[in-house]
Amino acid sequence: LKSNTVQKESRKKRRSSGAITLAAVAEIAGVAPITASRAINNPSLVSLEVLRKVNEAVEQTGYVQNKIAGSLASAKSGLIAAVIPNFSSSIFLDTIDTLNQTLFEAGYQLLLGQTNYSKEREKSLLDQIIGQRPDGIFFTGVISNEVARQQLIASNIPVVETWDLSTDPIDMLVGFSHEKIGSSVATYLLKKGYRCLAIIGADDERSLRRFKSFREEVKAQNSNENLKPVTAINVRASRTVSKGREALMELLAINPQTDAVFCSSDLLALGVVTQAQHLGIRVPQELAVIGFGDIAFAKDTAPALSTVKINSSEIGRLAAHLLIERAHQRFLPNKIMDLGFEIVERETT
Amino acid sequence: LKSNTVQKESRKKRRSSGAITLAAVAEIAGVAPITASRAINNPSLVSLEVLRKVNEAVEQTGYVQNKIAGSLASAKSGLIAAVIPNFSSSIFLDTIDTLNQTLFEAGYQLLLGQTNYSKEREKSLLDQIIGQRPDGIFFTGVISNEVARQQLIASNIPVVETWDLSTDPIDMLVGFSHEKIGSSVATYLLKKGYRCLAIIGADDERSLRRFKSFREEVKAQNSNENLKPVTAINVRASRTVSKGREALMELLAINPQTDAVFCSSDLLALGVVTQAQHLGIRVPQELAVIGFGDIAFAKDTAPALSTVKINSSEIGRLAAHLLIERAHQRFLPNKIMDLGFEIVERETT
DNA sequence: ATGAAAGCGCTAACAT
DNA sequence: ATGTTAGCGCTTTCAT
């Protein structure tokens, strides 16, 4: 049986990666390549007889589809890109986890890029990503850079922005209002009777927006009451427990009367609580602490941490569904979805 | 100027994704497509004049390379796949973080897949991944499934296995010995004077191997001393703080004299410490606790957590370098690298 | 330093 | 239900 790969006149040019191709499988099965393709990708289109022969040939050769070639031919890559700031902020990972699960079940692979909160990095990452022609792009946050926005719109790739609300998303949006969170937390703490409020947080854009409305709410309620101005400690990019401990020391040096702190992350809040315990400050009697994110073990710390809970898994699930729908060209009426938030009262407030 | 895309006889078949192609850029720049390609990918090969014209055309059109087409032509995808169990075990994320950083700087994109500790899932993920023809694959852990191993070897894709040591890796390996960790921790606790040891852990393969050698070490040292047998609490797949709290209750019910616990993760250990505090058990005087992983805030808990530290970032960095070297067809002498570990003594032992 | 030609391996489009 | 043909958009190979 002369079923060896025929070496042509052997003067023309050749390359080939050496891997088994669909054409080889088709030849063994005794059908045309397109028929083998159908048998593999859409079995209902071929006869049982053909299906059997093709499957046999696949088994025999150990054939694995070259999706690169398929992507080029069909203009569908089967890839969805996700852009995240980093892997340390575990708060985003629940979202990515669920996003990935949901996408995988629908047959998509996840292409992951991290920006480290750098706008330049975000731009070069975006070029790389668009180059890969993904079937959709998921962003943690919204894109403000106008050049990037235009590029995304021009690329015609479905986009979901998340973790925020904005009036003019590039395409789709699944998020919540940081402004509402800031004012709600302020109102909550004031209602609980705290009078000298402070904030400890990172200087990323979303934290800053929460803090801004927090301050404004305090100021607004100050007309009829006698409130101290809000003290702010900026921890830059460090959202860690140890930074929270340091930040409390800094805060108490500036304003020892502080009786409530709103932190931009649960880890920072945990640090504040730990440090307060070290200093013999009773939580929440002398100092109330509220975090942000509701990480998995917030309820298991001692005392259990009060925080702002976001349904981060739901963001991932919804974003995945939106992208999949869009990839299938389906009509989507609601392009902006507000998932809200919840203040979870535990033992630190 | 008739520079519009000429619609041929308009009876033949056409498709085209509609995006700007390299050919279009080349035409505007007045050069051949291959020259435009060189100007973009390897500027040193073209004259300054050509470079200028091509850059101008790129700017003008907003051209973004189609890497899918490039990948097909060059048999290089620019993608490296990473397989992780999940996103919740933050211990793996430092590795992935560094892996991703290092790869990005070298121009690679990360394709991420999660197995959820399921062998079936791992297999179907692998098919999907090989289909994308990545330039390398990173595994968290080692691959035991023989079919998968053969498939990977046949695929000819560079592979790094990690987080473990094995005598016959598929290709390259960056890890450490779980057996040595188990026996070292046992020796350490016994030297500190603890006499009734216990383990609390998940039932993944690597934890079990640490525990096995932990037990064996205790048994081995029992010949000359009078040690109690090791009690074991299996928490299945939950490596959470709250599970650690539950597990301690379970443990004390079974064996109230326990004076030292080795946990398979820092979060579990943290739960044990928290629960001990709730119960009024002094740590480490009445109960010693040691974790695994050295998560970022292990040093900031109260009391600070003793643990086993793995250089997880280094695993990512090394793996990235190995894959990149291999992708460039370079020779690699040391295929197995043992990164070791360190017992970090803090306040809980 | 630049270009012409020929594919990479697959699938869409149009037959039959 | 199956096949024929012609690309997808790029880069390799070989010339000049």
Side-chain angles (χ1 to χ4, degrees), chain B residues 80-270:
Chain B
I80 300 270
V83 177
I84 62 173
N86 58 48
F87 285 90
S88 342
S89 307
S90 63
I91 189 166
F92 300 129
L93 295 177
D94 282 339
T95 306
I96 299 295
D97 190 339
T98 311
L99 177 78
N100 191 11
Q101 299 282 0
T102 315
L103 289 176
F104 183 81
E105 274 144 33
Y108 290 92
Q109 284 288 118
L110 191 72
L111 197 63
L112 205 65
Q114 57 184 324
T115 64
N116 295 327
Y117 289 100
S118 143
K119 292 288 172 196
E120 289 157 46
R121 175 85 174 245
E122 186 176 274
K123 187 68 181 64
S124 74
L125 181 61
L126 204 52
D127 283 335
Q128 283 226 27
I129 285 176
I130 294 179
Q132 296 287 354
R133 300 288 193 269
D135 295 338
I137 307 183
F138 168 101
F139 283 102
T140 304
V142 300
I143 304 298
S144 49
N145 180 303
E146 195 50 39
V147 179
R149 285 176 59 95
Q150 290 311 322
Q151 196 179 6
L152 282 167
I153 292 168
S155 77
N156 215 23
I157 300 171
V159 167
V160 183
E161 292 165 284
T162 62
W163 280 91
D164 212 332
L165 243 36
S166 120
T167 47
D168 62 331
I170 296 173
D171 183 2
M172 300 173 285
L173 179 63
V174 182
F176 51 89
S177 163
H178 293 270
E179 279 76 12
K180 275 192 205 159
I181 289 176
S183 55
S184 298
V185 171
T187 304
Y188 166 76
L189 291 175
L190 294 174
K191 264 210 186 110
K192 295 286 277 185
Y194 299 103
R195 284 292 165 271
C196 186
L197 277 41
I199 52 193
I200 292 178
D203 56 0
D204 68 282
E205 206 222 330
R206 287 182 286 279
S207 301
L208 294 177
R209 295 227 313 281
R210 291 195 293 274
F211 288 159
K212 183 154 175 277
S213 65
F214 181 89
R215 279 191 143 121
E216 284 169 359
E217 187 65 31
V218 172
K219 209 176 281 177
Q221 302 207 13
N222 207 8
S223 45
N224 34 348
E225 305 197 43
N226 200 15
L227 302 174
K228 301 277 189 296
V230 174
T231 313
I233 304 294
N234 182 344
V235 299
R236 306 278 162 198
S238 350
R239 295 160 189 78
T240 61
V241 174
S242 57
K243 197 70 195 179
R245 299 181 67 163
E246 283 174 36
L248 179 61
M249 297 309 289
E250 232 183 290
L251 173 61
L252 293 178
I254 296 173
N255 191 348
Q257 309 122 347
T258 303
D259 61 4
V261 190
F262 176 31
C263 299
S264 78
S265 86
D266 282 350
L267 288 183
L268 284 172
L270 193 58

Side-chain angles (χ1 to χ4, degrees), chain A residues 13 17 21-22 37 41 63 66 69 73:
Chain A
K13 54 184 94 169
S17 56
T21 66
L22 180 65
S37 169
N41 299 312
Y63 171 70
N66 184 331

Side-chain angles (χ1 to χ4, degrees), chain A residues 318-332:
Chain A
L318 244 170
H321 285 308
L322 290 177
L323 288 172
I324 293 167
E325 291 294 295
R326 185 64 123 246
H328 290 281
Q329 321 277 20
R330 299 224 184 81
F331 176 69
L332 293 172

